[in-house]
Amino acid sequence: MSGGTYLGMPSFPVAAKTATHDGRLRGNMHRAMNTIRTRRARAVSELDDWAQLRQAGKEIKDRALRHLDEYLLQIEERVTEAGGHVHWAADAAAANRIVAGLAKAAGAAEVVKIKSMATQEIGLNEALAAEGIDAWETDLAELIVQLGHDRPSHIVVPAIHRNRSEIREIFRAEMGRNGRPAPDDLTDRPADLAEAARLHLREKFLRAKVAVSGANFLIAETGTAVIVESEGNGRMCLTLPETLISVVGIEKVLPTQRDLEVFLQLLPRSSTAERMNPYTSMWTGVTAGDGPSDFHLVLLDNGRTETLADEVGRQALRCIRCAACLNVCPVYERAGGHAYGSVYPGPIGAILSPQLRGIDNPVDASLPFASSLCGACYEACPVAIDIPEVLVHLRERAVEQPGHGAERAVMNAATWLLDHPAALAAAERAASATRKLHPRTLNLGPAAAWSDTRDLPEVPSESFRAWWRKQHR
Amino acid sequence: MTDRELILQRIRSAVANAPEPPEIARDYAERHHHGEPAELVELLAENLTGYRARVHRADDAGLPALVARLLAEHGDTSVAVPADLPAEWLSALTIDVRPDAPLSAVELDRTSAVITGCALAVAETGTIVLDAGPGQGRRALTLVPDHHVCVVRVPGQVYPSLPLAVPELDLRRPLTWISGPSATSDIELDRVEGVHGPRTLDVILLG
Ligand code: SF4
């Protein structure tokens, strides 16, 4: 992968076509999505105040974004007081430069990494490799992806497109080239595969001097970084190395300590369908005699401030990367995560990637069309991001782009959807189930030619086809 | 212009015309379970067990024998302990006890178990929080050995819910929240207990 778009990545319809013809991938995806949807529904239904938590989550994030400058300065002050260092990176290149410089200064030829969307987004591993520094992914799924020379296909379970026997083959072929080999008699039982990963990574944890992470949240009031995880690889990286570098998107801010009581109810249930994930780590600067003695927080913009400037699109910055929207999306399930050509797949990817990267290339211009506007993503989203609303808004922006490249990509994406009646029909079924939650008005300001489109989420079963006919008759 | 100035300036111009957001309506529940303290302890035990932690009960007199039994059953030959752990908890042990003086990561990796207390526990979510306070030691201690025995004083350390527990925490301390042993669902969403953190978590409810 590279920073920004994957190099040479086909635009959505081309990639989606390949994926839907891969029977094994479709089987893996369908089973997985079914399982995860059922589990999540159960975890959410346990809380009778879910709607209130969701509303609070939305409002907290909106407040954080409205006063982001003040909160970031507060974080800088608190982290510095607590012995940490804060760096600001306007774009991917700046962030990569900072991290590579810090790793070199620490004398490290390798770093261990905690799964982090931000560092994938900026292509950090490749940037470090160019400086002669190995970056080892330590999350099990990320390890599978890295050893398989593959790309992640899901935000929370990046190797969801791989089944157990594929994983066994990857481990047997690749672990030995990168450290401790997999045992000769490795089976494809998940427990044995996890054990192989434990042994393979342990030597790396014990010798690592530098760890690189992201963060799920940054608490402005206290300058605290928060990481939510399951396996303990995060704790290893946050605790054992001498130097810790956390690359965090500026939108990860929560104003107060109290906000954790909301987000630590919303996130685990939405992402892994648990009451609570196995491990959550919180740290503020450095603590003498406990964990890294050198902590660097890299605050990353890379398109976020531009997204913030878009009145409709800025709500995408509320995202807490739970992947609930992916798990309910009929288009994602059929097209697969790779079709989105970005580290952010699925509905959130369709609204985030074009905003972070700009809509002036065929991949990103096609993404807002990779949807039937069924609204299932909006219903599932724990911070109430109205993804259909943003999709419609971005479609408008995409077709306003000069040149025919974007226009063609747009047409291809829409044609793909119309050519896949199963995806569209599933979307329509989901839509009627969630109809009551759909926005009545999208309130996008003037643009008369598009006003019909804006009403579409109200009649979801007709929306996509109707929209398409109007635009292309 | 530095990146810092640039980012701050971009933010300010991006939100210049955005309306002031409303006060946050925190009308979610303060707690979901309204039982007596004993019922909360029961709920904590149930939720921890649901995550495949092993839950035990003891009073002060029975604690040393229980600790010794849990370590023996797991086949532990050595145990790391925070330097300030109450000595009587260890009084029935016959295996190698290693106070964290501190122990190196490699030494911890060759130590089979660890015993600690905790800062508090949350019943609704089945969570134990460690804050490096008394009887808990630093973070690496409860991470590298494969077996963690954690003592929770009940009902005193048990809080019903996150909204009631979060304000009690001091975020300036390094915090580790533990809800069951380490786990992964990365392979076909099959849950496997035990990856990098301790694969066995024994929780002793003391009281
Ligand atoms: S958009 Fe909402 S549902 Fe999708 S990943 Fe982000 S927070 Fe989760």
Side-chain angles (χ1 to χ4, degrees), chain A residues 49 59 66-67 69 76 90 141 164 195 198 202 230-231 257 259 261 274-275 278 280 282 284 301, chain B residues 3-4 10 12 18 25-26 28-29 32 47 109 166 169 171 175 177 179 186 188 191 195-196 199:
Chain A
D49 60 338
E59 289 174 1
R66 177 62 185 81
H67 297 286
D69 54 338
E76 181 182 53
R164 59 186 74 195
E195 167 74 7
R198 175 185 172 96
R202 182 123 323 200
S230 298
E231 294 169 13
Q257 171 165 354
D259 299 330
E261 73 197 25
E274 293 165 300
R275 291 192 190 101
T280 299
M282 304 186 190
T284 306
D301 181 345
Chain B
D3 278 21
R4 181 178 184 273
R10 284 177 182 167
R12 286 171 188 145
R26 294 184 189 268
Y28 48 84
H32 297 93
N47 283 332
D109 191 43
V166 166
L169 297 170
L171 293 196
L175 300 183
W177 297 34
S179 306
D186 280 350
E188 297 182 13
R191 188 173 168 103
V195 195
H196 304 294
R199 287 182 285 190

Side-chain angles (χ1 to χ4, degrees), chain A residues 43-84:
Chain A
V44 166
S45 68
E46 236 182 52
L47 297 186
D48 52 14
D49 60 338
W50 186 256
Q52 287 84 353
L53 284 165
R54 182 178 186 244
Q55 182 64 22
K58 168 184 188 285
E59 289 174 1
I60 290 166
K61 279 285 188 180
D62 281 346
R63 168 157 299 266
L65 293 170
R66 177 62 185 81
H67 297 286
L68 193 55
D69 54 338
E70 296 159 39
Y71 291 129
L72 290 172
L73 290 171
Q74 204 179 352
I75 285 166
E76 181 182 53
E77 199 180 316
R78 296 282 179 275
V79 170
T80 310
E81 279 167 9

Side-chain angles (χ1 to χ4, degrees), chain A residues 83-103:
Chain A
H85 305 274
V86 176
H87 311 259
W88 302 69
D91 54 26
N96 288 333
R97 225 172 16 244
I98 292 167
V99 178
L102 291 169

Side-chain angles (χ1 to χ4, degrees), chain A residues 155 318-326 348 377 380-383 385 387:
Chain A
I155 296 176
R318 294 204 294 261
C319 176
I320 55 173
R321 313 279 189 262
C322 73
C325 57
L326 278 63
I348 182 58
C377 49
C381 179
V383 286
I385 299 171
I387 294 175

Side-chain angles (χ1 to χ4, degrees), chain A residues 251-264:
Chain A
E251 83 284 17
K252 295 288 161 193
V253 169
L254 299 179
T256 68
Q257 171 165 354
R258 202 176 161 195
D259 299 330
L260 284 172
E261 73 197 25
V262 175
F263 285 91
L264 290 180

Side-chain angles (χ1 to χ4, degrees), chain A residues 323-380:
Chain A
C325 57
L326 278 63
N327 301 337
V328 297
C329 178
V331 174
Y332 171 82
E333 181 179 321
R334 283 162 184 82
H338 292 156
Y340 293 79
S342 156
V343 297
Y344 303 109
I348 182 58
I351 62 169
L352 199 57
S353 307
Q355 297 200 87
L356 292 180
R357 303 193 296 207
I359 210 159
D360 51 0
N361 64 81
V363 178
D364 288 311
S366 71
L367 286 176
F369 296 85
S371 166
S372 68
L373 303 177
C374 78
C377 49
Y378 171 59
E379 187 205 8

Side-chain angles (χ1 to χ4, degrees), chain A residues 34-188:
Chain A
N34 242 333
T35 309
I36 211 164
R37 278 194 296 264
T38 315
R39 284 184 197 166
R40 178 184 172 276
R42 203 178 325 140
V44 166
S45 68
E46 236 182 52
L47 297 186
D48 52 14
D49 60 338
W50 186 256
Q52 287 84 353
L53 284 165
R54 182 178 186 244
Q55 182 64 22
K58 168 184 188 285
E59 289 174 1
I60 290 166
K61 279 285 188 180
D62 281 346
R63 168 157 299 266
L65 293 170
R66 177 62 185 81
H67 297 286
L68 193 55
D69 54 338
E70 296 159 39
Y71 291 129
L72 290 172
L73 290 171
Q74 204 179 352
I75 285 166
E76 181 182 53
E77 199 180 316
R78 296 282 179 275
V79 170
T80 310
E81 279 167 9
H85 305 274
V86 176
H87 311 259
W88 302 69
D91 54 26
N96 288 333
R97 225 172 16 244
I98 292 167
V99 178
L102 291 169
K104 278 188 184 166
E110 63 176 8
V111 302
V112 285
K113 279 191 70 203
I114 308 179
K115 175 173 156 11
S116 137
M117 302 303 300
T119 59
Q120 281 178 31
E121 175 193 321
I122 62 176
L124 178 67
N125 293 7
E126 293 71 13
L128 289 176
E131 303 278 339
I133 300 167
D134 290 323
W136 305 114
E137 295 291 348
T138 65
D139 170 76
L140 178 53
E142 292 289 355
L143 177 71
I144 295 165
V145 167
Q146 184 176 46
L147 291 178
H149 310 287
D150 197 357
R151 286 178 289 112
S153 64
H154 188 279
I155 296 176
V156 173
V157 268
I160 192 89
H161 58 291
R162 295 289 195 184
N163 64 30
R164 59 186 74 195
S165 59
E166 294 173 272
I167 294 167
R168 182 177 79 134
E169 290 323 306
I170 291 169
F171 279 9
R172 281 163 52 125
E174 296 290 333
M175 275 186 171
R177 288 188 206 156
N178 296 281
R180 180 171 173 154
D184 288 336
D185 56 353
L186 182 66
T187 75
D188 65 2

